[in-house]
Amino acid sequence: MRAMAPPEPTTAELLSTPVQFLPGVGPQRAELLAKLGLKTAADVLFFFPRDYQDFAQVRSVDQLEEGTLQSVYGTVEEAELRDSGGGKCVLGVLFRATDGGFFRGVWFNQPFLLKQFSRGQRMVLSGKPKLNGLFWELIHPSIVSLGDEEPEEPEEGLLPVYPLTEGLRQWHVRRVVRAALEKLTDCLDEVFPNEYLAKHNLWPIRQALPAIHFPEDRAALDKAQRRFVYQELFILQLGVALRRQAQHSNCHAPPLEVTPKIDARIRRLFPFELTAGQQAAIADVAADLGRESPMNRLLQGDVGSGKTVVAVYAMLAAIAHGFQAVLMTPTEVLARQHAQTLGRLLSKSHVRLASLTGGMPAGERRVMLEQIAAGEIDVVVGTHAVLQEDVVFHKLALVVIDEQHKFGVRQRAALRRAGLDPHYLVMTATPIPRTVTMTLFGDLDVSILRDMPPSRQPVKTYLAEPDQRAKWWDFFCRKLREGRQGYVVTPLVEESDQLAATSLDEAYEALVHGPLEAFRVGLIHGRMSSQEKDAVMEDFRSGKLQVLVCTSVVEVGVDVPNATLMTIESGHRFGLAQLHQLRGRIGRGSYPGFCTVFAEPESEEAQKRLDAFVSTTDGFVLAEEDFKLRGPGELFGTRQHGLPPLRVADLTRDEKLLEEARRDAAALVASDPGLALPAHARLQRMVMARYGKVLELADVG
Ligand code: ADP
Ligand code: MG
């Protein structure tokens, strides 16, 4: 018998080699690597550094200077974790440098780091030094512990810093990555055609991959990163473009042509001149509705900019064609308010309006659902929750979603699964950065209301000292006597938050037996039933109540034009966006508004938030400030919108590449619908693997 030479392994086989078979990895280390998600050679290759250390810039303490990234060797002298109040902490570590001098490393809110700094531990720290009094300080530097086994002086140049797990050291991971690169780089297949790389000035993968791990210098690192950032954004944008395409070709919404006659009939209902922004948005909406593919439009406009009018226009256009429309809100209070506004506007029309609320008696609800299913109702107003369950429409043509910044791809997909294929109008008062609209809302068209209705009055905002209380209440009462109304806002009452609950009641008691004794004061909070909330809101709207003591229940969308006064208690406990939303409740009519905030900011960040809040009423400016203070994460994290997180791209840093990727993706999908050409099969697979499910691309291509 002849011995057969074993077949050469394919690239795919090589890439799926278990890490254990890479040089320098035994079973024990393989287990540790698995904890980081590294099971195969490919996992290792694409395990990108979270940071780099610049050993070309190793300095002694007396050579440090402000501004640039530098590294310095030190031995831990002392580590101290200090509580800075409000659940925050500062970790300060004093190091003795090789030349005998001292410097400090500082980390905020990362108490878990403490255990890494045992006295005598040798480390290399990289960061931008700042002189703080006597000592040089590195804030949030990257750190590498120098273990016994590690070569004393690491090599020159930029070294990668990887996420680690207990028991694994930087140099372990570096060694494994190096081994994987040596073994596999030469058999990696390029994703992009050559002309493409040339056109976009991107490094090919065999050059970029080694360089993102072990760059020769900054310039090489930039080139390598650029390639992978572009690739990641391009794949995402291809997903978005494919989804748009699928919507246009597979989804058929009823075309609702807005004829001049319909247009005139609708406009006659509005009791005021529309702003230029409203005109433009309505034109966008009317054009969308006339098409056979569903409208997918995001309407952005600061609080009070008059988004409701645009929604009403769209709904009436649907009804004019004999279809139904639904308006969804995040809260019941807002649902009821919209139902009332619509009721007033439509009182002389034949439009049949229903408001579906959570607290409705079952029998009443059943009847209403039957009417909706039979097409006996034209407009349904209700909360997201109510409408996502069991409502069956007779002929639904339009879904309007109010005050929603979380209404990303996933939530809309849920509605579609319910068998609906309507036009969509999503409205939000939260200014969304362009980069976010291009990604999370990438399949939406955007209209923006930049101007306010002309009658809108300015709101003056004050950050008050505690000893100014008496003076503020004097002013508050004088305005009440002049006929105005006002809010007193205290932080949210949580079910479990007994302490805060009593403080709301106490605040109420203190006011009605104190400064507001002579006035009619109501109380509203999240634990009340919707009927109770309703009754109180109605009393406030009608003027029966002059003051509303409330939690952030009033935050979203409530519209009582005669309310011009607002006291915000414990202002430091609200986020900036929330404060802005709250303030948006006043100054909505023809009288100027006055907002006073009492606060005990416990951190620098809280102080900055309050300062920003007082300095401007421009929601777009405040949103920018908010992103600077908190980063885009909380509000616009990809995860809560249902998209997998970006691995290398950063939406604030990579805006330009994002635009390029978006343009390129749109062009490619236009030239090759569904990416069906063999030349694009690989790209298509990559898009499907990452975004196929969340973007519901299953039926593409
Ligand atoms: P938001 O964009 O916050 O939802 P609304 O639609 O509730 O704003 O409008 C805020 C207030 O402004 C409402 O009382 C509304 O009637 C009024 N309004 C809207 N558009 C105009 C306009 N063009 N001229 C005057 N008032 C307007
Ligand atoms: Mg609104």
Side-chain angles (χ1 to χ4, degrees), residues 269-298:
L269 294 171
F270 300 141
F272 33 62
E273 288 275 307
L274 298 185
T275 65
Q278 286 169 327
Q279 300 281 19
I282 281 175
D284 291 341
V285 166
D288 290 349
L289 291 177
R291 296 195 190 101
E292 226 170 283
S293 52
M295 165 166 77
N296 270 291
R297 188 163 289 278
L298 177 68

PDB file of all heavy atoms in Angstrom, residues 269-298:
ATOM      1  N   LEU A 269     -57.649  72.894   9.093  1.00  0.00           N
ATOM      2  CA  LEU A 269     -57.864  72.543  10.499  1.00  0.00           C
ATOM      3  C   LEU A 269     -56.859  73.193  11.440  1.00  0.00           C
ATOM      4  O   LEU A 269     -57.086  73.286  12.633  1.00  0.00           O
ATOM      5  CB  LEU A 269     -57.770  71.024  10.678  1.00  0.00           C
ATOM      6  CG  LEU A 269     -58.848  70.194  10.003  1.00  0.00           C
ATOM      7  CD1 LEU A 269     -58.512  68.729  10.073  1.00  0.00           C
ATOM      8  CD2 LEU A 269     -60.202  70.472  10.663  1.00  0.00           C
ATOM      9  N   PHE A 270     -55.707  73.614  10.904  1.00  0.00           N
ATOM     10  CA  PHE A 270     -54.677  74.148  11.801  1.00  0.00           C
ATOM     11  C   PHE A 270     -54.949  75.605  12.124  1.00  0.00           C
ATOM     12  O   PHE A 270     -55.100  76.425  11.224  1.00  0.00           O
ATOM     13  CB  PHE A 270     -53.285  74.010  11.165  1.00  0.00           C
ATOM     14  CG  PHE A 270     -52.914  72.583  10.870  1.00  0.00           C
ATOM     15  CD1 PHE A 270     -52.226  72.250   9.707  1.00  0.00           C
ATOM     16  CD2 PHE A 270     -53.257  71.565  11.754  1.00  0.00           C
ATOM     17  CE1 PHE A 270     -51.891  70.938   9.428  1.00  0.00           C
ATOM     18  CE2 PHE A 270     -52.925  70.246  11.480  1.00  0.00           C
ATOM     19  CZ  PHE A 270     -52.247  69.933  10.313  1.00  0.00           C
ATOM     20  N   PRO A 271     -54.990  75.933  13.417  1.00  0.00           N
ATOM     21  CA  PRO A 271     -55.364  77.297  13.812  1.00  0.00           C
ATOM     22  C   PRO A 271     -54.208  78.292  13.720  1.00  0.00           C
ATOM     23  O   PRO A 271     -54.309  79.375  14.267  1.00  0.00           O
ATOM     24  CB  PRO A 271     -55.813  77.110  15.274  1.00  0.00           C
ATOM     25  CG  PRO A 271     -55.035  75.938  15.762  1.00  0.00           C
ATOM     26  CD  PRO A 271     -54.813  75.052  14.571  1.00  0.00           C
ATOM     27  N   PHE A 272     -53.088  77.908  13.114  1.00  0.00           N
ATOM     28  CA  PHE A 272     -51.967  78.861  13.042  1.00  0.00           C
ATOM     29  C   PHE A 272     -51.210  78.667  11.730  1.00  0.00           C
ATOM     30  O   PHE A 272     -51.389  77.677  11.026  1.00  0.00           O
ATOM     31  CB  PHE A 272     -51.005  78.679  14.221  1.00  0.00           C
ATOM     32  CG  PHE A 272     -50.885  77.253  14.697  1.00  0.00           C
ATOM     33  CD1 PHE A 272     -50.389  76.270  13.849  1.00  0.00           C
ATOM     34  CD2 PHE A 272     -51.299  76.881  15.975  1.00  0.00           C
ATOM     35  CE1 PHE A 272     -50.281  74.962  14.270  1.00  0.00           C
ATOM     36  CE2 PHE A 272     -51.201  75.562  16.399  1.00  0.00           C
ATOM     37  CZ  PHE A 272     -50.690  74.604  15.543  1.00  0.00           C
ATOM     38  N   GLU A 273     -50.379  79.666  11.425  1.00  0.00           N
ATOM     39  CA  GLU A 273     -49.465  79.551  10.284  1.00  0.00           C
ATOM     40  C   GLU A 273     -48.421  78.497  10.601  1.00  0.00           C
ATOM     41  O   GLU A 273     -47.884  78.483  11.712  1.00  0.00           O
ATOM     42  CB  GLU A 273     -48.718  80.875  10.097  1.00  0.00           C
ATOM     43  CG  GLU A 273     -49.529  82.005   9.562  1.00  0.00           C
ATOM     44  CD  GLU A 273     -49.565  81.958   8.031  1.00  0.00           C
ATOM     45  OE1 GLU A 273     -48.476  81.890   7.419  1.00  0.00           O
ATOM     46  OE2 GLU A 273     -50.685  81.971   7.484  1.00  0.00           O
ATOM     47  N   LEU A 274     -48.096  77.658   9.655  1.00  0.00           N
ATOM     48  CA  LEU A 274     -47.055  76.667   9.917  1.00  0.00           C
ATOM     49  C   LEU A 274     -45.678  77.317   9.822  1.00  0.00           C
ATOM     50  O   LEU A 274     -45.480  78.256   9.052  1.00  0.00           O
ATOM     51  CB  LEU A 274     -47.157  75.530   8.907  1.00  0.00           C
ATOM     52  CG  LEU A 274     -48.469  74.750   8.945  1.00  0.00           C
ATOM     53  CD1 LEU A 274     -48.396  73.561   7.986  1.00  0.00           C
ATOM     54  CD2 LEU A 274     -48.799  74.267  10.337  1.00  0.00           C
ATOM     55  N   THR A 275     -44.749  76.810  10.585  1.00  0.00           N
ATOM     56  CA  THR A 275     -43.372  77.310  10.482  1.00  0.00           C
ATOM     57  C   THR A 275     -42.743  76.745   9.205  1.00  0.00           C
ATOM     58  O   THR A 275     -43.240  75.773   8.627  1.00  0.00           O
ATOM     59  CB  THR A 275     -42.510  76.856  11.671  1.00  0.00           C
ATOM     60  OG1 THR A 275     -42.395  75.424  11.622  1.00  0.00           O
ATOM     61  CG2 THR A 275     -43.124  77.249  12.997  1.00  0.00           C
ATOM     62  N   ALA A 276     -41.621  77.353   8.811  1.00  0.00           N
ATOM     63  CA  ALA A 276     -40.937  76.888   7.604  1.00  0.00           C
ATOM     64  C   ALA A 276     -40.554  75.415   7.755  1.00  0.00           C
ATOM     65  O   ALA A 276     -40.680  74.613   6.821  1.00  0.00           O
ATOM     66  CB  ALA A 276     -39.694  77.728   7.339  1.00  0.00           C
ATOM     67  N   GLY A 277     -40.103  75.047   8.953  1.00  0.00           N
ATOM     68  CA  GLY A 277     -39.713  73.662   9.206  1.00  0.00           C
ATOM     69  C   GLY A 277     -40.895  72.716   9.063  1.00  0.00           C
ATOM     70  O   GLY A 277     -40.776  71.635   8.473  1.00  0.00           O
ATOM     71  N   GLN A 278     -42.021  73.111   9.599  1.00  0.00           N
ATOM     72  CA  GLN A 278     -43.225  72.272   9.473  1.00  0.00           C
ATOM     73  C   GLN A 278     -43.631  72.118   8.014  1.00  0.00           C
ATOM     74  O   GLN A 278     -43.988  71.024   7.572  1.00  0.00           O
ATOM     75  CB  GLN A 278     -44.376  72.884  10.293  1.00  0.00           C
ATOM     76  CG  GLN A 278     -44.214  72.697  11.804  1.00  0.00           C
ATOM     77  CD  GLN A 278     -45.211  73.530  12.610  1.00  0.00           C
ATOM     78  OE1 GLN A 278     -45.602  74.634  12.205  1.00  0.00           O
ATOM     79  NE2 GLN A 278     -45.607  73.006  13.767  1.00  0.00           N
ATOM     80  N   GLN A 279     -43.569  73.234   7.282  1.00  0.00           N
ATOM     81  CA  GLN A 279     -43.904  73.172   5.850  1.00  0.00           C
ATOM     82  C   GLN A 279     -43.025  72.154   5.130  1.00  0.00           C
ATOM     83  O   GLN A 279     -43.509  71.314   4.366  1.00  0.00           O
ATOM     84  CB  GLN A 279     -43.695  74.540   5.182  1.00  0.00           C
ATOM     85  CG  GLN A 279     -44.527  75.667   5.746  1.00  0.00           C
ATOM     86  CD  GLN A 279     -45.964  75.655   5.232  1.00  0.00           C
ATOM     87  OE1 GLN A 279     -46.438  74.639   4.747  1.00  0.00           O
ATOM     88  NE2 GLN A 279     -46.642  76.783   5.366  1.00  0.00           N
ATOM     89  N   ALA A 280     -41.720  72.258   5.409  1.00  0.00           N
ATOM     90  CA  ALA A 280     -40.778  71.383   4.712  1.00  0.00           C
ATOM     91  C   ALA A 280     -40.998  69.924   5.106  1.00  0.00           C
ATOM     92  O   ALA A 280     -40.989  69.023   4.257  1.00  0.00           O
ATOM     93  CB  ALA A 280     -39.343  71.806   5.023  1.00  0.00           C
ATOM     94  N   ALA A 281     -41.223  69.684   6.397  1.00  0.00           N
ATOM     95  CA  ALA A 281     -41.427  68.309   6.862  1.00  0.00           C
ATOM     96  C   ALA A 281     -42.702  67.730   6.249  1.00  0.00           C
ATOM     97  O   ALA A 281     -42.748  66.562   5.839  1.00  0.00           O
ATOM     98  CB  ALA A 281     -41.499  68.274   8.385  1.00  0.00           C
ATOM     99  N   ILE A 282     -43.732  68.560   6.184  1.00  0.00           N
ATOM    100  CA  ILE A 282     -44.991  68.101   5.607  1.00  0.00           C
ATOM    101  C   ILE A 282     -44.806  67.774   4.119  1.00  0.00           C
ATOM    102  O   ILE A 282     -45.338  66.780   3.610  1.00  0.00           O
ATOM    103  CB  ILE A 282     -46.099  69.165   5.825  1.00  0.00           C
ATOM    104  CG1 ILE A 282     -46.596  69.049   7.273  1.00  0.00           C
ATOM    105  CG2 ILE A 282     -47.248  68.995   4.840  1.00  0.00           C
ATOM    106  CD1 ILE A 282     -47.605  70.097   7.672  1.00  0.00           C
ATOM    107  N   ALA A 283     -43.999  68.592   3.447  1.00  0.00           N
ATOM    108  CA  ALA A 283     -43.723  68.299   2.036  1.00  0.00           C
ATOM    109  C   ALA A 283     -43.004  66.951   1.904  1.00  0.00           C
ATOM    110  O   ALA A 283     -43.340  66.135   1.028  1.00  0.00           O
ATOM    111  CB  ALA A 283     -42.889  69.419   1.416  1.00  0.00           C
ATOM    112  N   ASP A 284     -42.028  66.696   2.776  1.00  0.00           N
ATOM    113  CA  ASP A 284     -41.323  65.409   2.760  1.00  0.00           C
ATOM    114  C   ASP A 284     -42.305  64.258   2.965  1.00  0.00           C
ATOM    115  O   ASP A 284     -42.296  63.260   2.247  1.00  0.00           O
ATOM    116  CB  ASP A 284     -40.288  65.331   3.904  1.00  0.00           C
ATOM    117  CG  ASP A 284     -39.108  66.275   3.693  1.00  0.00           C
ATOM    118  OD1 ASP A 284     -38.896  66.706   2.538  1.00  0.00           O
ATOM    119  OD2 ASP A 284     -38.413  66.570   4.681  1.00  0.00           O
ATOM    120  N   VAL A 285     -43.143  64.427   3.976  1.00  0.00           N
ATOM    121  CA  VAL A 285     -44.090  63.366   4.336  1.00  0.00           C
ATOM    122  C   VAL A 285     -45.068  63.111   3.185  1.00  0.00           C
ATOM    123  O   VAL A 285     -45.329  61.968   2.808  1.00  0.00           O
ATOM    124  CB  VAL A 285     -44.858  63.744   5.626  1.00  0.00           C
ATOM    125  CG1 VAL A 285     -46.065  62.831   5.833  1.00  0.00           C
ATOM    126  CG2 VAL A 285     -43.921  63.673   6.827  1.00  0.00           C
ATOM    127  N   ALA A 286     -45.582  64.201   2.613  1.00  0.00           N
ATOM    128  CA  ALA A 286     -46.556  64.047   1.536  1.00  0.00           C
ATOM    129  C   ALA A 286     -45.930  63.302   0.356  1.00  0.00           C
ATOM    130  O   ALA A 286     -46.561  62.420  -0.244  1.00  0.00           O
ATOM    131  CB  ALA A 286     -47.081  65.413   1.092  1.00  0.00           C
ATOM    132  N   ALA A 287     -44.667  63.633   0.052  1.00  0.00           N
ATOM    133  CA  ALA A 287     -43.988  62.954  -1.056  1.00  0.00           C
ATOM    134  C   ALA A 287     -43.821  61.468  -0.744  1.00  0.00           C
ATOM    135  O   ALA A 287     -44.095  60.605  -1.587  1.00  0.00           O
ATOM    136  CB  ALA A 287     -42.628  63.597  -1.319  1.00  0.00           C
ATOM    137  N   ASP A 288     -43.414  61.155   0.482  1.00  0.00           N
ATOM    138  CA  ASP A 288     -43.245  59.752   0.885  1.00  0.00           C
ATOM    139  C   ASP A 288     -44.553  58.981   0.769  1.00  0.00           C
ATOM    140  O   ASP A 288     -44.582  57.845   0.282  1.00  0.00           O
ATOM    141  CB  ASP A 288     -42.794  59.649   2.353  1.00  0.00           C
ATOM    142  CG  ASP A 288     -41.370  60.135   2.569  1.00  0.00           C
ATOM    143  OD1 ASP A 288     -40.665  60.355   1.573  1.00  0.00           O
ATOM    144  OD2 ASP A 288     -40.980  60.275   3.745  1.00  0.00           O
ATOM    145  N   LEU A 289     -45.615  59.591   1.269  1.00  0.00           N
ATOM    146  CA  LEU A 289     -46.894  58.879   1.329  1.00  0.00           C
ATOM    147  C   LEU A 289     -47.424  58.540  -0.059  1.00  0.00           C
ATOM    148  O   LEU A 289     -48.130  57.559  -0.236  1.00  0.00           O
ATOM    149  CB  LEU A 289     -47.939  59.717   2.076  1.00  0.00           C
ATOM    150  CG  LEU A 289     -47.725  59.899   3.578  1.00  0.00           C
ATOM    151  CD1 LEU A 289     -48.796  60.814   4.165  1.00  0.00           C
ATOM    152  CD2 LEU A 289     -47.740  58.547   4.295  1.00  0.00           C
ATOM    153  N   GLY A 290     -47.039  59.365  -1.027  1.00  0.00           N
ATOM    154  CA  GLY A 290     -47.534  59.150  -2.381  1.00  0.00           C
ATOM    155  C   GLY A 290     -46.910  57.937  -3.060  1.00  0.00           C
ATOM    156  O   GLY A 290     -47.373  57.513  -4.116  1.00  0.00           O
ATOM    157  N   ARG A 291     -45.853  57.384  -2.452  1.00  0.00           N
ATOM    158  CA  ARG A 291     -45.169  56.261  -3.091  1.00  0.00           C
ATOM    159  C   ARG A 291     -45.726  54.927  -2.639  1.00  0.00           C
ATOM    160  O   ARG A 291     -46.391  54.823  -1.616  1.00  0.00           O
ATOM    161  CB  ARG A 291     -43.682  56.302  -2.749  1.00  0.00           C
ATOM    162  CG  ARG A 291     -43.027  57.524  -3.299  1.00  0.00           C
ATOM    163  CD  ARG A 291     -41.530  57.418  -3.295  1.00  0.00           C
ATOM    164  NE  ARG A 291     -41.011  58.740  -3.620  1.00  0.00           N
ATOM    165  CZ  ARG A 291     -40.534  59.585  -2.719  1.00  0.00           C
ATOM    166  NH1 ARG A 291     -40.451  59.227  -1.437  1.00  0.00           N
ATOM    167  NH2 ARG A 291     -40.130  60.777  -3.066  1.00  0.00           N
ATOM    168  N   GLU A 292     -45.354  53.922  -3.401  1.00  0.00           N
ATOM    169  CA  GLU A 292     -45.869  52.604  -3.100  1.00  0.00           C
ATOM    170  C   GLU A 292     -45.030  51.887  -2.040  1.00  0.00           C
ATOM    171  O   GLU A 292     -45.480  50.952  -1.405  1.00  0.00           O
ATOM    172  CB  GLU A 292     -45.883  51.776  -4.378  1.00  0.00           C
ATOM    173  CG  GLU A 292     -47.176  51.031  -4.549  1.00  0.00           C
ATOM    174  CD  GLU A 292     -47.251  50.429  -5.922  1.00  0.00           C
ATOM    175  OE1 GLU A 292     -47.525  51.181  -6.892  1.00  0.00           O
ATOM    176  OE2 GLU A 292     -47.017  49.223  -6.027  1.00  0.00           O
ATOM    177  N   SER A 293     -43.768  52.335  -1.902  1.00  0.00           N
ATOM    178  CA  SER A 293     -42.959  51.745  -0.841  1.00  0.00           C
ATOM    179  C   SER A 293     -43.215  52.544   0.432  1.00  0.00           C
ATOM    180  O   SER A 293     -43.488  53.735   0.373  1.00  0.00           O
ATOM    181  CB  SER A 293     -41.491  51.789  -1.226  1.00  0.00           C
ATOM    182  OG  SER A 293     -41.141  53.097  -1.603  1.00  0.00           O
ATOM    183  N   PRO A 294     -43.138  51.866   1.568  1.00  0.00           N
ATOM    184  CA  PRO A 294     -43.527  52.539   2.806  1.00  0.00           C
ATOM    185  C   PRO A 294     -42.626  53.718   3.147  1.00  0.00           C
ATOM    186  O   PRO A 294     -41.419  53.660   2.947  1.00  0.00           O
ATOM    187  CB  PRO A 294     -43.373  51.449   3.880  1.00  0.00           C
ATOM    188  CG  PRO A 294     -43.076  50.186   3.184  1.00  0.00           C
ATOM    189  CD  PRO A 294     -42.710  50.480   1.778  1.00  0.00           C
ATOM    190  N   MET A 295     -43.235  54.774   3.653  1.00  0.00           N
ATOM    191  CA  MET A 295     -42.458  55.866   4.231  1.00  0.00           C
ATOM    192  C   MET A 295     -41.745  55.326   5.465  1.00  0.00           C
ATOM    193  O   MET A 295     -42.302  54.558   6.236  1.00  0.00           O
ATOM    194  CB  MET A 295     -43.406  56.996   4.648  1.00  0.00           C
ATOM    195  CG  MET A 295     -42.765  58.022   5.579  1.00  0.00           C
ATOM    196  SD  MET A 295     -43.748  59.532   5.737  1.00  0.00           S
ATOM    197  CE  MET A 295     -45.040  58.991   6.856  1.00  0.00           C
ATOM    198  N   ASN A 296     -40.491  55.711   5.642  1.00  0.00           N
ATOM    199  CA  ASN A 296     -39.755  55.413   6.872  1.00  0.00           C
ATOM    200  C   ASN A 296     -39.051  56.681   7.263  1.00  0.00           C
ATOM    201  O   ASN A 296     -37.896  56.895   6.915  1.00  0.00           O
ATOM    202  CB  ASN A 296     -38.721  54.312   6.622  1.00  0.00           C
ATOM    203  CG  ASN A 296     -39.310  52.950   6.873  1.00  0.00           C
ATOM    204  OD1 ASN A 296     -39.606  52.600   8.003  1.00  0.00           O
ATOM    205  ND2 ASN A 296     -39.493  52.194   5.804  1.00  0.00           N
ATOM    206  N   ARG A 297     -39.741  57.552   7.945  1.00  0.00           N
ATOM    207  CA  ARG A 297     -39.182  58.878   8.187  1.00  0.00           C
ATOM    208  C   ARG A 297     -39.051  59.179   9.667  1.00  0.00           C
ATOM    209  O   ARG A 297     -39.930  58.849  10.464  1.00  0.00           O
ATOM    210  CB  ARG A 297     -40.035  59.946   7.507  1.00  0.00           C
ATOM    211  CG  ARG A 297     -39.422  61.342   7.556  1.00  0.00           C
ATOM    212  CD  ARG A 297     -40.062  62.281   6.558  1.00  0.00           C
ATOM    213  NE  ARG A 297     -39.699  61.947   5.186  1.00  0.00           N
ATOM    214  CZ  ARG A 297     -38.558  62.318   4.594  1.00  0.00           C
ATOM    215  NH1 ARG A 297     -37.665  63.022   5.249  1.00  0.00           N
ATOM    216  NH2 ARG A 297     -38.310  61.970   3.350  1.00  0.00           N
ATOM    217  N   LEU A 298     -37.909  59.777   9.988  1.00  0.00           N
ATOM    218  CA  LEU A 298     -37.646  60.223  11.356  1.00  0.00           C
ATOM    219  C   LEU A 298     -37.812  61.732  11.389  1.00  0.00           C
ATOM    220  O   LEU A 298     -37.173  62.439  10.617  1.00  0.00           O
ATOM    221  CB  LEU A 298     -36.213  59.854  11.749  1.00  0.00           C
ATOM    222  CG  LEU A 298     -35.734  60.314  13.123  1.00  0.00           C
ATOM    223  CD1 LEU A 298     -36.459  59.581  14.228  1.00  0.00           C
ATOM    224  CD2 LEU A 298     -34.227  60.090  13.266  1.00  0.00           C
TER     225      LEU A 298
END
